[in-house]
Amino acid sequence: MLKIVIGNKKYSSWSLRPWLALKITGAPFEEQVVPLDMPDTAQNIRKYSPSGRVPALLDGDLTVWDSIAICEYLHEKFPQAGLWPADAAQRARARAVSAEMHSGFTNLRNDCSMKIVQQHPYKPLRPETQADVDRIVAIWDECLRASKGPWLFGKKPTIADCMYAPVVSRFRTYSIPGGKDYVDHVWSWPILQEWVTAARAETLVAKFHEP
Ligand SMILES: N[C@@H](CCC(=O)N[C@@H](CS)C(=O)NCC(=O)O)C(=O)O
């Protein structure tokens, strides 16, 4: 059976992305949560992931690490799941917005780390962080205008929505205005809520994520 190795559900935004993609496939899987920020975290992650980072996907003898590589692997293994749009041009755009998320928005990621079960009042963001937010909202608006929603690429969620789900969580946690319809839609996604429920039940606090 497939096994996904992830960090604490409260904080591990990179783990959430391929976990959602795996849920979309409907394939049965086991999950292994490695608590982050513990003295033995690095050692525990390295038992599964050569990068020393979670997530990692184990499929028999094969280990696939890094969120986007796992999503691509799932797309190849489960071609019927529609993890990417069927149309080549749409697929290219979905990959572009996903890659932009994977490689960018560092200011937002640093200033507003994922704390999926928390909610804070809005505080003005640094201009660089606001610029990340503006670009993200522009991506969502453009995708939704072209696809007519409710997901970025139409009637069904794709990897692009999985990649932006932790951003949706940040918008919600930090009461960041923008993209409200999309934020509300993704937040009500049953599989995301399944993750949130499990996150609420976690008792371990990761000290670097929760100073
Ligand atoms: N580029 C990687 C980033 C993975 C990453 O940074 N994961 C964090 C947790 S969200 C991690 O493993 N941190 C290790 C640690 O805290 O010791 C990906 O997309 O999977």
Side-chain angles (χ1 to χ4, degrees), residues 22-174:
L22 193 44
K23 291 294 277 189
I24 292 174
T25 70
F29 66 92
E30 290 170 30
E31 83 187 29
Q32 171 83 44
V33 178
V34 177
L36 299 173
D37 298 354
M38 298 290 152
D40 56 355
T41 296
Q43 193 188 331
N44 285 335
I45 294 178
R46 275 191 193 280
K47 284 185 207 154
Y48 306 102
S49 173
S51 66
R53 306 243 162 215
V54 285
L57 182 77
L58 314 183
D59 187 6
D61 291 341
L62 176 69
T63 300
V64 187
W65 63 95
D66 204 292
S67 55
I68 199 91
I70 297 170
C71 290
E72 289 288 2
Y73 179 72
L74 292 173
H75 169 69
E76 290 192 8
K77 191 173 171 81
F78 301 103
Q80 304 311 322
L83 285 176
W84 287 125
D87 174 78
Q90 291 307 307
R91 195 160 60 248
R93 287 183 55 76
R95 283 192 163 115
V97 301
S98 299
E100 190 172 343
M101 172 70 251
H102 189 248
S103 62
F105 307 128
T106 319
N107 292 300
L108 180 68
R109 292 199 338 242
N110 289 341
D111 291 2
C112 304
S113 68
M114 189 176 92
K115 294 180 180 171
I116 205 162
V117 300
Q118 295 188 21
Q119 186 120 42
H120 299 286
Y122 173 72
K123 278 202 219 135
L125 303 169
R126 290 189 300 121
E128 301 88 320
T129 308
Q130 185 60 48
D132 280 357
V133 167
D134 294 345
R135 172 63 190 147
I136 289 165
V137 172
I139 290 171
W140 291 348
D141 283 352
E142 206 184 317
C143 289
L144 294 169
R145 203 174 318 115
S147 74
K148 310 218 181 328
W151 303 99
L152 293 177
F153 288 86
K155 300 269 173 273
K156 288 193 340 195
T158 66
I159 288 168
D161 301 288
C162 300
M163 291 304 288
Y164 281 91
V167 177
V168 160
S169 154
R170 288 169 160 103
F171 273 44
R172 216 188 140 270
T173 290
Y174 299 96

